[in-house]
């Protein structure tokens, strides 16, 4: 399986002759359990049966044959690969004027439509979704609209943040959604919408007008 992962890497292409040479070299050094090309082929067939083939064969009207790769299937397979999963970038990053990776681009950070942005973030055992009410450590309520990353205060590692709407408590009137967007650290999130909903009396004052429904849509229905 490990040999198949190496030879199937989309970023490191091996010819058939190179594969045979590597296997012969490993055998000559006395390595144990070196697979044959036949065994590798059978392993590849089994994996395709389990996960599907991301390539789609297309034949033109003139008889030319070419193959299309499914981007969604390729990404899903990368996420399923334990060797690359934890090095993948889930969120756009604010490069603060610098750009060395595609996720640093302004289009990914600001121009990406909300419906194409990552829909959730995991924090411990909780999963927080965009457009859903949550509570953070200050006891305030918040509705995230988009998640992104940024390096704060010169830190070497980027933090995950959320841009969204705060919730204002208006005495005698209940809660209202603040139309102004604010940025909050995801690490401060404590309770999901399901946790809040489970406590039926927590939001007994309700929300004023249609502000909540127009902001978070179906999530409260």
């Amino acid at each position: 399986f490990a040999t198949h992962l190496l030879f199937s890497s989309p970023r490191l292409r091996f010819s058939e002759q190179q594969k045979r040479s590597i296997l012969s070299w490993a055998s000559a050094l006395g390595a144990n359990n070196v697979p044959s090309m036949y065994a590798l082929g059978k392993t590849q067939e089994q994996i395709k049966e389990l996960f599907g083939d991301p390539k789609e064969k297309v034949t033109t009207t003139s008889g030319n044959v070419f193959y299309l790769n499914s981007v969604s299937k390729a990404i899903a397979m990368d996420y399923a690969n334990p060797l690359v999963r934890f090095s993948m970038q889930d969120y756009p990053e604010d490069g603060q004027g610098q750009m060395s990776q595609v996720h640093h681009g302004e289009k990914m950070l600001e121009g990406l439509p909300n419906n194409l942005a990552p829909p959730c973030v995991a924090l411990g055992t909780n999963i927080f979704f965009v457009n859903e009410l949550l509570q953070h450590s200050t006891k305030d309520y918040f509705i995230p609209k988009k998640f992104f990353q940024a390096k704060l205060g010169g830190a070497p590692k980027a933090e995950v943040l959320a841009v969204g709407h705060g919730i204002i408590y208006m005495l005698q009137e209940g809660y209202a959604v603040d139309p102004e967007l604010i940025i909050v650290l995801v690490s401060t999130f404590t309770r999901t919408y399901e946790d809040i909903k489970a406590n039926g009396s927590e939001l007994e004052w309700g929300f004023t007008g249609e502000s909540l429904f127009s902001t978070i849509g179906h999530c409260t229905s």
Side-chain angles (χ1 to χ4, degrees), residues 22-186:
I22 291 172
L23 296 179
S24 298
W25 173 74
S27 298
L29 291 180
N32 296 322
N33 302 319
V34 178
S36 64
M37 289 295 292
Y38 174 78
L40 282 175
K42 297 297 289 184
T43 299
Q44 186 175 28
E45 290 177 6
Q46 293 173 357
I47 292 174
K48 283 184 178 180
E49 289 179 3
L50 288 172
F51 297 101
D53 190 344
K55 298 190 298 295
E56 178 186 354
K57 182 179 179 180
V58 178
T59 304
T60 65
T61 54
S62 60
N64 294 323
V65 177
F66 62 94
Y67 293 85
L68 290 176
N69 287 321
S70 169
V71 175
S72 60
K73 287 184 179 179
I75 293 175
M77 291 179 70
D78 278 345
Y79 269 102
N81 185 343
L83 300 181
V84 300
R85 164 65 188 92
F86 293 103
S87 63
M88 295 178 69
Q89 180 76 20
D90 293 323
Y91 306 101
E93 184 174 328
D94 182 359
Q96 300 175 4
Q98 300 181 1
M99 181 174 175
S100 60
Q101 303 290 337
V102 66
H103 53 264
H104 291 152
E106 184 177 345
K107 287 185 178 180
M108 289 291 291
L109 182 63
E110 300 179 5
L112 188 68
N114 288 346
N115 64 319
L116 296 180
C120 62
V121 63
L123 183 63
T125 58
N126 290 325
I127 299 179
F128 299 92
F129 291 88
V130 296
N131 297 330
E132 279 195 356
L133 188 70
L134 60 85
Q135 189 177 43
H136 45 87
S137 56
T138 62
K139 305 300 182 182
D140 293 324
Y141 297 107
F142 180 71
I143 301 172
K145 300 297 291 183
K146 182 182 288 187
F147 299 111
F148 69 99
Q149 288 185 321
K151 294 178 181 177
L152 305 176
K157 187 176 180 181
E159 293 260 17
V160 182
L161 301 101
V163 57
H165 300 277
I167 304 298
I168 304 170
Y169 176 68
M170 303 173 67
L171 193 63
Q172 304 299 328
E173 297 182 27
Y175 295 93
V177 178
D178 188 346
E180 183 178 350
L181 290 171
I182 60 174
I183 295 175
V184 175
L185 275 168
V186 165

